[in-house]
Amino acid sequence: MKTVRSTTALLPLMLLSWLWTAIPSPAAADTLPEPDALASPVTSRPSVPDLGTPPQAPADLQIMHGESLVEASVAPGLTVSTASREQSRNFFLALYTASENTPSGWNGNLAACTAGTTAPSFKDAVQLRINYFRAMAGVPAAITFSQDFSAKNQQAALMMSANSLVSHDPSSTWSCYTAGGDEAAGNSNLALGYSGWEAVTEYLLENGSSNADAGHRRWLLYPQTLTMGSGDIPPTPGHAAANALWILDSAYWNPRPATRDDFVAWPPPGYVPYQVVSPRWSLSYPGADFSGATVTMRKNGSAVPVRLETVYVGYGENTLVWVPDNLDPSVLDSIPRPSADTVYAVTVGNVRIGGTPRSFAYSVTIFDPQTPGADHVSADVTGPAAPEVGLASRYTITPVPGADSYQWRYAGTVPASGYNAETGLSGMTATISPSPGYTGVSTDVHASGGASYHLAQPDEADQVLTLERSILPGPSGQMILQSRLGWATPDQVAVVEASPNDGATWQELYRQAGSNSSGELSFTRRTLDLSPFAGMTIRIRLSYRLKPGNVRYYPSTGTGVGWYLDDISFADTAELAGATVSPLLASPSFDFTPPAGGSSILQARALLYGRYPLEWGQVLRVTARAATFPLTCIISGTGAGSVSSSPGGISCPYGDCATTFPSGSPVILMAAPGADSRFGGWSGGGCGGTGTCSVPMTGAATVTARFDHVPPVLVPLATPPEYPSLALAYGAVPDGQSMLARAVSFPENLSLTMNKRVTFEGGYDTGFTGTVGASVLDGCLTISQGSLVVSGLVIR
């Protein structure tokens, strides 16, 4: 059996072309020597992968386990609408791939027959993979693990690995035999050559010549099941990995819970990623008689041949299995990647249920989740492109169907820096197998300088260098590296991958397999096109790995073996600096307060079940500017005048006005009274008096400037002192006192009829602080009584 390895991402693989110029680069030597002890490659995985036969259903599980019968649960757990391509795609990208790359943490010892246990996170990953498949099939997907089941499964898996055999009834003479392991073997799906979530996928795919009954799949998708357990042994020298998955719990006889489609099919109706579709298709229905059933299928409207497998009973629900379109079920893999969405119309006829014939008709669309469909929704951010420093601005995230929470992040950007092995593994995370003298860096072969990165395989584990910095390609983004693949078999491949969701899923940018020889004689400059990721943030990793299945490889880390890389650089590409990720958001909106000025990016992503992230959306570039506050100037009073500011912005020659100024930048206001007016003073904004007004602009401010009308005549010792005409002023002036007149025209007649002495002074300015000319009496002056001393008066 062969593991389904998922390298999924946002964009179609076909778009990610790589360009290369076959110009050899200088190296330490033109040829790489054949390393010591490299007479021939070895074969990985010493035992042939084997699932064995599925366990038969016992007559009475209550007697077997001594447990009371429980009521059927209706809790759906995980759910997904396979009728939606985008929901099915997101479900795969977020949940299926979340199981990948979780270390087993096994603490046992095969030589000492110590079963040990695996890490809780590893068990969670196995449980998640099971519930993913059940949700896709439309059956309750809330499986939990029993500690008792898992402990016994661990003993069973140890027995299978230690003896390189699979049996539901192991002999007491087996190495590492235990009664608990024996019990688990009789109640579990068993796999040799696979463990953990990889084994779960193999149970679902049911490839191989001995799995025509699809019994493992039927137990995995049995609707009544509530509790399982898993035991897992990773591969060890001389022994294959193994898994025992408990599938027969005490809910076996419970009433069947509701299922999404009534029947249970794999692949299920709707949109299904090709990675989880095998050549064997099936339809299950409780108590159904499939002995005379027929299957017809059409692929994109055209009929395809169908071969029915022999009907077997005793494994989960009664099931019909068939192989369509001349596919080969012995190939230990999923079906080939489709170049476009492929629609299969399925009709299963003449199924007898309770003696009555019945037909089932549905359609399945096989698709590549690397390729977004027409219904794809990216969690893109929209909002102000120029937010103000220190002030919160509201941004929205495009809602993603099926998502229940969101995150956003803020980061600066700088030009992407390169990587050179002269600084060791700085800026990289290395996942390599322990081996003497093997560090991921070589000084004996290099394209320039004194070192290069070196990935080889002392064992069959993947060797990986992951660049720690996230990068942001532009429209012409490129990754450039010097590459030299030395001694390697065709089963050993050098791969460069990109991830748009911080490493949750990966997509190939470049792949090169070995040639069963010394390989390349010098370094070659490779240029990888990153433009399909323009506007997106991605991570990059460099992997040297084995193809899945039984393969051959050179188990050496000596000079000339494996993959050498050097002088990694980028063009038209930035990298994130100081990224800050938000807590989970319940709704697709957030407030962003720039801590400082300058350019940065905002980006968001959706999560399923508050835990499993999808890819980051397109970046929104923002340039934070200094905060501004409004300053409003109000003109009041009986007079007229204008107000201006320094720096400019306020100009109120005819009335109220307003503008904004940067936070913390003082603004000076200046008042200028109009004709027949004087400035009466400031109020508001922390200002007063009649001088200039300084506003600190620590917030919105309003300042009032009062201008008072100035009457043309002033009698200093009268009450009131100001008068609109000469006649009224004459009547109010005390005997022997003065009346002052501005240098304006008085259209009136002035008659002096009181017996008092008056001094008239004309030609004053508006403030009566000095003379600027003469006053004009545009009328007659008549003196009947008293006396008048006159200066600065013109009579017309």
Side-chain angles (χ1 to χ4, degrees):
M1 302 293 292
K2 173 180 172 299
T3 295
V4 175
R5 294 179 183 264
S6 171
T7 53
T8 58
L10 178 66
L11 296 174
L13 186 62
M14 61 171 31
L15 293 178
L16 296 176
S17 61
W18 59 271
L19 311 173
W20 64 280
T21 305
I23 301 176
S25 300
D30 289 336
T31 60
L32 296 177
E34 183 168 344
D36 296 337
L38 192 64
S40 63
V42 299
T43 301
S44 70
R45 300 181 179 91
S47 297
V48 176
D50 183 14
L51 298 187
T53 60
Q56 285 277 345
D60 192 340
L61 290 179
Q62 296 179 76
I63 296 175
M64 172 174 289
H65 298 304
E67 300 171 355
S68 60
L69 189 67
V70 298
E71 293 297 326
S73 171
V74 294
L78 302 180
T79 59
V80 60
S81 172
T82 55
S84 165
R85 187 186 193 279
E86 182 72 351
Q87 285 198 40
S88 180
R89 175 179 177 271
N90 286 343
F91 200 63
F92 179 87
L93 293 177
L95 274 77
Y96 182 88
T97 59
S99 296
E100 308 279 336
N101 305 315
T102 304
S104 71
W106 181 54
N107 59 8
N109 185 295
L110 194 145
C113 289
T114 302
T117 186
T118 55
S121 59
F122 185 80
K123 286 185 171 62
D124 289 344
V126 178
Q127 183 176 309
L128 177 63
R129 181 62 59 90
I130 295 168
N131 283 322
Y132 167 83
F133 285 129
R134 290 177 66 88
M136 287 290 292
V139 302
I143 291 297
T144 58
F145 278 176
S146 159
Q147 290 185 0
D148 178 57
F149 288 175
S150 292
K152 294 174 180 177
N153 278 138
Q154 196 67 29
Q155 298 170 39
L158 184 75
M159 292 163 55
M160 306 304 147
S161 181
N163 295 276
S164 297
L165 293 171
V166 173
S167 173
H168 295 291
D169 186 21
S171 170
S172 60
T173 62
W174 278 26
S175 298
C176 304
Y177 175 87
T178 63
D182 190 343
E183 180 188 2
N187 290 278
S188 301
N189 282 344
L190 301 174
L192 185 65
Y194 296 103
S195 63
W197 64 88
E198 293 180 321
V200 173
T201 297
E202 294 309 315
Y203 296 142
L204 190 286
L205 292 181
E206 294 284 24
N207 292 322
S209 58
S210 62
N211 298 314
D213 49 30
H216 306 92
R217 177 191 298 170
R218 291 152 67 172
W219 285 125
L220 200 67
L221 304 180
Y222 188 63
Q224 282 91 321
T225 303
L226 300 174
T227 307
M228 293 184 179
S230 182
D232 297 282
I233 304 296
T236 57
H239 294 278
N243 168 266
L245 185 71
W246 200 297
I247 45 80
L248 294 172
D249 72 344
S250 58
Y252 177 79
W253 299 112
N254 283 3
R256 187 178 193 259
T259 60
R260 182 186 61 218
D261 304 310
D262 187 28
F263 57 90
V264 177
W266 197 270
Y271 289 91
V272 186
Y274 79 92
Q275 291 93 334
V276 296
V277 178
S278 75
R280 283 198 173 99
W281 293 40
S282 64
L283 184 143
S284 303
Y285 198 91
D289 177 2
F290 290 105
S291 60
T294 61
V295 178
T296 58
M297 291 181 62
R298 302 185 71 83
K299 176 182 176 181
N300 291 335
S302 299
V304 296
V306 173
R307 177 176 61 81
L308 299 182
E309 300 279 26
T310 302
V311 176
Y312 294 89
V313 296
Y315 312 128
E317 296 187 330
N318 290 355
T319 300
L320 180 67
V321 182
W322 67 93
V323 177
D325 207 13
N326 295 318
L327 295 172
D328 182 3
S330 68
V331 175
L332 306 183
D333 201 355
S334 63
I335 64 172
R337 173 182 176 269
S339 58
D341 290 7
T342 305
V343 182
Y344 290 88
V346 181
T347 301
V348 180
N350 198 33
V351 179
R352 303 192 72 82
I353 299 174
T356 303
R358 180 175 171 184
S359 294
F360 301 89
Y362 58 97
S363 66
V364 178
T365 302
I366 310 300
F367 74 102
D368 180 5
Q370 294 178 354
T371 306
D375 60 347
H376 171 62
V377 178
S378 176
D380 297 337
V381 177
T382 56
E388 295 183 344
V389 175
L391 295 180
S393 295
R394 175 52 60 102
Y395 291 83
T396 59
I397 305 169
T398 303
V400 174
D404 57 15
S405 55
Y406 298 85
Q407 282 181 307
W408 63 277
R409 68 179 175 186
Y410 155 74
T413 58
V414 296
S417 54
Y419 296 78
N420 285 289
E422 280 71 21
T423 58
L425 294 174
S426 176
M428 293 186 173
T429 299
T431 305
I432 59 177
S433 299
S435 182
Y438 175 54
T439 64
V441 173
S442 172
T443 57
D444 53 358
V445 177
H446 40 81
S448 65
S452 68
Y453 302 109
H454 181 209
L455 295 177
Q457 286 178 307
D459 54 33
E460 61 185 77
D462 292 348
Q463 310 294 300
V464 182
L465 297 177
T466 304
L467 309 191
E468 294 174 349
R469 298 186 290 268
S470 294
I471 60 173
L472 176 61
S476 302
Q478 294 178 332
M479 178 181 179
I480 303 100
L481 67 153
Q482 299 288 348
S483 172
R484 185 172 185 176
L485 184 59
W487 283 94
T489 73
D491 296 325
Q492 293 177 284
V493 292
V495 180
V496 182
E497 297 170 299
S499 171
N501 49 13
D502 285 346
T505 60
W506 295 91
Q507 177 175 344
E508 287 187 6
L509 302 177
Y510 168 74
R511 168 183 284 258
Q512 181 181 4
S515 60
N516 257 345
S517 69
S518 59
E520 295 174 316
L521 301 180
S522 60
F523 280 87
T524 298
R525 174 188 171 99
R526 308 287 187 187
T527 301
L528 281 62
D529 181 17
L530 302 180
S531 63
F533 293 106
M536 300 169 58
T537 54
I538 59 174
R539 297 282 301 278
I540 297 290
R541 75 179 181 187
L542 314 162
S543 302
Y544 187 56
R545 59 172 63 121
L546 293 179
K547 295 179 180 178
N550 292 324
V551 296
R552 297 172 64 78
Y553 72 103
Y554 290 104
S556 172
T557 62
T559 298
V561 182
W563 189 22
Y564 293 88
L565 302 109
D566 206 354
D567 299 335
I568 300 171
S569 62
F570 298 90
D572 189 28
T573 300
E575 67 183 41
L576 301 194
T580 301
V581 180
S582 75
L584 293 183
L585 306 174
S587 60
S589 65
F590 62 92
D591 289 330
F592 170 55
T593 303
S599 298
S600 58
I601 64 160
L602 293 176
Q603 198 175 22
R605 66 182 178 185
L607 293 90
L608 305 186
Y609 297 97
R611 182 177 176 184
Y612 306 106
L614 297 171
E615 58 265 344
W616 289 101
Q618 289 281 322
V619 301
L620 175 66
R621 298 181 182 272
V622 297
T623 302
R625 55 187 175 86
T628 60
F629 294 110
L631 174 58
T632 301
C633 184
I634 297 175
I635 305 299
S636 69
T638 59
S642 64
V643 176
S644 60
S645 67
S646 177
I650 290 291
S651 179
C652 309
Y654 304 111
D656 302 349
C657 63
T659 191
T660 58
F661 291 95
S663 171
S665 176
V667 176
I668 306 300
L669 297 180
M670 297 155 287
D676 299 329
S677 299
R678 64 168 170 257
F679 179 54
W682 306 100
S683 62
C687 294
T690 57
T692 58
C693 168
S694 179
V695 184
M697 295 311 299
T698 56
T702 299
V703 176
T704 298
R706 192 184 83 249
F707 293 96
D708 299 325
H709 174 68
V710 180
V713 186
L714 174 66
V715 180
L717 296 182
T719 302
E722 297 174 338
Y723 297 91
S725 67
L726 295 175
L728 292 176
Y730 173 74
V733 63
D735 182 26
Q737 298 301 312
S738 300
M739 50 187 292
L740 312 180
R742 290 169 46 209
V744 298
S745 177
F746 293 90
E748 60 177 303
N749 296 318
L750 177 58
S751 297
L752 307 184
T753 60
M754 299 179 184
N755 186 19
K756 55 185 177 180
R757 292 171 297 133
V758 176
T759 299
F760 179 91
E761 300 177 21
Y764 277 91
D765 58 21
T766 303
F768 293 97
T769 59
T771 57
V772 293
S775 301
V776 177
L777 177 61
D778 193 6
C780 298
L781 174 60
T782 303
I783 303 176
S784 300
Q785 295 187 58
S787 63
L788 178 66
V789 178
V790 179
S791 65
L793 178 64
V794 175
I795 302 175
R796 292 179 179 173

